Amino acid sequence: MVTDLQANIRAVRHAALVARDVESVTVVIGEVVDDLLARSEAYRTRVRGLGVALSGDVDRSVGVVRYTPFLGWRDVPFAQLVTSRTGLPTVLDNDVRALSAAEGWFGAGNGARSFVLVTVGSGIGCGIVVNGAVISGAHGVTGEIGHLTIDQQGPVCRCGNRGCLEAIASDPAIIDQINQLPGVHVRTPGEAAALAHSGHEGASAVYARAGRAIGLGLAAAVNLIGPERVIISGEGLAAYDLFEQQIRTTFAQHAFSTADQCEIVVCPLSFDEWARGAATVAIKAFISQEKD
């Protein structure tokens, strides 16, 4: 998308990836950028930077994707590759950290000096904001709440460990657990939720387990960080009513002392907000450079 310096969206284009290798993804990004810039002479002459956000272990300081499970990349200097293809200075960041930056400026985190953003969907992500700054970690990894061990006897996670929060409560994990029930086959998160909404006890129990796991993860984050606010977002909120009670009850049971007073805000997320998060980190980088 194209945005102004306040991250107001000016133009959007969606494009499907035909393959997941580095070169193919770089080509698609280049084509999308070319198309957007061609829509207006002002875009071509005034756009100053590009933000790219990816899931996984992303080291923003050097523009390298250390590991992204969805694409299967390791140690890819992606910011440099995108800059070479587009000619634009590129800021690369983790998608949830980028979204946290946008939420702090314009969304549910606005007005809070500290908050935790947890996204539920194809994965379980977590962005942490302390004293108004998004925490990146010394080597790029931080806030990996999805890989907290919730159940040591639980299912194997795609990270290789067993019983991670993501292996219990992400959309693919929920679908997999429901499909292990006798006589059941669902293909999408929508079908899984519909089955639970129909009163299917086994499917409902899977969502209840997911809710308890998320509640444990939220309590651990709040006990460690002590934020003013927890924001729950992501495409998985479409089924939020199926595990909201378990999330809140478990959180209240495991948040230490007054930590249970932390405000929990539920914030639905449109898909375009991920790109707006990427734009926000590019804007922040541009503003910092101008100040220097």
Side-chain angles (χ1 to χ4, degrees):
M1 64 173 54
V2 178
T3 78
D4 60 22
L5 286 178
Q6 293 181 312
N8 295 310
I9 299 170
R10 302 300 189 187
V12 176
R13 183 189 163 189
H14 297 87
L17 295 179
V18 295
R20 298 186 182 188
D21 62 281
V22 176
E23 182 177 359
S24 296
V25 175
T26 304
V27 168
V28 171
I29 289 177
E31 291 172 348
V32 168
V33 170
D34 290 343
D35 175 75
L36 287 170
L37 295 182
R39 295 186 185 186
S40 167
E41 184 61 28
Y43 296 164
R44 188 171 294 282
T45 58
R46 298 178 64 187
V47 167
R48 291 291 182 266
L50 177 64
V52 176
L54 293 171
S55 66
D57 179 359
V58 179
D59 190 340
R60 173 177 168 171
S61 65
V62 292
V64 172
V65 179
R66 299 298 182 192
Y67 173 60
T68 176
F70 293 121
L71 297 171
W73 299 352
R74 288 188 182 274
D75 297 321
V76 176
F78 198 54
Q80 178 185 337
L81 294 174
V82 173
T83 293
S84 296
R85 173 59 181 82
T86 64
L88 292 171
T90 301
V91 181
L92 179 70
D93 210 340
N94 169 270
D95 56 352
V96 182
R97 286 201 300 265
L99 185 63
S100 299
E103 286 297 306
W105 263 10
F106 316 110
N110 187 257
R113 292 292 297 168
S114 63
F115 66 88
V116 170
L117 170 67
V118 175
T119 57
V120 180
S122 55
I124 306 289
C126 178
I128 300 169
V129 174
V130 177
N131 292 329
V134 179
I135 305 301
S136 296
H139 305 288
V141 173
T142 189
E144 288 294 342
I145 191 175
H147 298 289
L148 288 176
T149 301
I150 301 298
D151 179 3
Q152 291 184 339
Q153 306 305 315
V156 175
C157 182
R158 62 186 168 192
C159 74
N161 292 322
R162 183 177 289 277
C164 293
L165 171 56
E166 190 167 294
I168 297 170
S170 66
D171 283 346
I174 288 172
I175 290 172
D176 183 61
Q177 291 170 82
I178 289 177
N179 282 335
Q180 293 177 32
L181 300 171
V184 174
H185 179 68
V186 295
R187 295 167 297 175
T188 66
E191 290 179 1
L195 183 64
H197 281 129
S198 73
H200 191 284
E201 291 185 4
S204 298
V206 170
Y207 277 100
R209 182 189 186 196
R212 289 190 293 271
I214 294 170
L216 285 170
L218 295 183
V222 169
N223 289 344
L224 283 171
I225 300 160
E228 299 173 41
R229 190 174 300 163
V230 170
I231 303 164
I232 305 176
S233 193
E235 62 272 21
L237 288 189
Y240 187 66
D241 63 303
L242 291 169
F243 46 50
E244 177 181 12
Q245 188 57 53
Q246 288 80 12
I247 290 175
R248 293 186 179 274
T249 299
T250 305
F251 172 77
Q253 289 172 344
H254 292 273
F256 178 71
S257 187
T258 56
D260 66 357
Q261 297 177 18
C262 177
E263 179 185 20
I264 297 179
V265 177
V266 179
C267 180
L269 175 73
S270 72
F271 187 74
D272 287 353
E273 289 302 311
W274 294 104
R276 192 169 183 239
T280 300
V281 297
I283 293 166
K284 288 193 168 190
F286 174 74
I287 291 173
S288 296
Q289 183 180 39
E290 289 294 293
K291 288 180 178 179
D292 294 341

